[in-house]
């Protein structure tokens, strides 16, 4: 079972914790990780790109000239796609890009992402993350004590903590989520993952 050091917000190591090998020590499946990230980004797409077909372009109600006898090609509307100012053929229309993965594949992707962070030494377990009042300085001080520097950091708490959320939301590259909101994209995007012991317990209950 993988062992990881446990720290407090002062940056001191308080001990070690054994992580569940079925969650934090699995073989990394890059194909499933890729699929999970593509799914998450696709689900965030708005899909609002739109063009007007000949039926939506203004004008074109009158036939430009009579059908026969002019020597010109027959034409029925000034808004035909072959005319300047006409409609667009096969252009984009509002649609949803969302798709889903099987539950087992989603959970395997999360296990792979968590295991990758442990293997790279980028997962730091915290005794607890809580502040007496919401101040950006609290998070900056904690990150400095942990020698994280300018790295992007993901802070994972077991439950919503208003002081932690407000203290971290104004810092570029720092994000706070709960154990329920853990996702593959955030895990891989951030350089460091700070997770509380309580959050680990909740993840192991769901993913083990």
């Amino acid at each position: 079972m993988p062992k990881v050091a446990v720290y407090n917000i002062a940056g001191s190591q308080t001990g070690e914790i054994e992580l569940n090998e079925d969650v934090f020590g699995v073989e990394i499946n890059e194909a499933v990780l890729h699929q999970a990230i593509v799914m998450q980004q696709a689900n965030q797409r708005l899909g609002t790109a739109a063009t007007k077909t000949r039926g939506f372009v203004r004008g074109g109600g009158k036939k430009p000239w009579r059908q026969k006898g002019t020597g010109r090609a027959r034409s029925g509307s000034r808004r035909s796609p072959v005319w300047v100012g006409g409609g667009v053929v096969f252009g984009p229309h509002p649609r949803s890009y969302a798709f889903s993965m099987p539950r087992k594949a989603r959970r395997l992707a999360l296990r792979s992402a968590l295991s990758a962070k442990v293997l790279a030494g980028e997962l730091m377990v915290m005794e607890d993350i809580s502040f007496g009042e919401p101040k950006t300085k609290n998070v900056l001080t904690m990150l400095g004590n942990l020698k994280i520097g300018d790295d992007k950091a993901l802070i994972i708490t077991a439950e919503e903590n208003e002081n932690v959320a407000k203290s971290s939301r104004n810092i570029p590259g720092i994000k706070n989520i709960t154990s329920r909101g853990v996702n593959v994209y955030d895990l891989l995007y951030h350089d460091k993952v700070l997770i509380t012991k309580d959050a680990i317990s909740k993840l192991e209950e769901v993913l083990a």
Side-chain angles (χ1 to χ4, degrees):
M1 299 179 76
K3 282 187 177 182
V4 178
V6 180
Y7 298 89
N8 56 25
I9 59 176
S12 303
Q13 182 175 342
T14 59
E16 287 186 336
I17 184 174
E18 283 193 357
L19 302 175
N20 191 323
E21 194 168 4
D22 293 334
V23 178
F24 295 92
V26 303
E27 183 179 352
I28 299 170
N29 190 319
E30 294 183 2
V32 173
L33 284 175
H34 177 264
Q35 188 179 4
I37 290 175
V38 171
M39 179 192 71
Q40 193 167 341
Q41 291 180 323
N43 292 352
Q44 290 174 347
R45 290 185 67 174
L46 295 178
T48 54
T51 52
K52 291 183 179 181
T53 62
R54 63 185 296 164
F56 291 101
V57 181
R58 182 177 180 181
K62 180 183 178 182
K63 188 175 175 68
W65 50 76
R66 66 180 189 269
Q67 181 81 348
K68 304 174 74 69
T70 64
R72 289 177 290 187
R74 57 194 175 189
S75 180
S77 171
R78 296 180 185 275
R79 292 298 174 254
S80 167
V82 300
W83 283 49
V84 174
V88 177
V89 181
F90 302 133
H93 297 289
R95 53 164 289 197
S96 171
Y97 291 87
F99 69 94
S100 61
M101 293 170 58
R103 181 187 298 178
K104 286 185 178 180
R106 294 198 306 268
R107 291 185 175 182
L108 177 58
L110 278 176
R111 293 190 198 102
S112 294
L114 291 167
S115 299
K117 285 298 176 184
V118 173
L119 192 62
E122 297 174 350
L123 186 137
M124 303 181 72
V125 179
M126 308 294 295
E127 280 285 352
D128 185 35
I129 301 177
S130 59
F131 307 117
E133 54 184 339
K135 281 193 173 182
T136 304
K137 185 178 180 181
N138 292 331
V139 174
L140 291 175
T141 301
M142 178 182 71
L143 297 177
N145 293 336
L146 295 169
K147 297 181 175 57
I148 289 180
D150 296 329
D151 289 342
K152 296 186 291 289
L154 179 66
I155 301 173
I156 304 175
T157 54
E159 304 292 343
E160 289 187 10
N161 187 315
E162 185 177 2
N163 288 347
V164 175
K166 288 184 175 180
S167 299
S168 59
R169 67 186 179 185
N170 289 330
I171 308 174
I174 307 299
K175 185 175 182 179
N176 169 229
I177 60 175
T178 65
S179 56
R180 291 175 60 86
V182 172
N183 60 86
V184 173
Y185 181 84
D186 281 336
L187 287 172
L188 298 184
Y189 174 77
H190 292 86
D191 303 311
K192 297 287 185 181
V193 176
L194 310 183
I195 182 170
T196 64
K197 292 171 70 175
D198 291 342
I200 285 180
S201 298
K202 287 185 174 293
L203 284 177
E204 289 180 343
E205 286 178 11
V206 175
L207 299 175

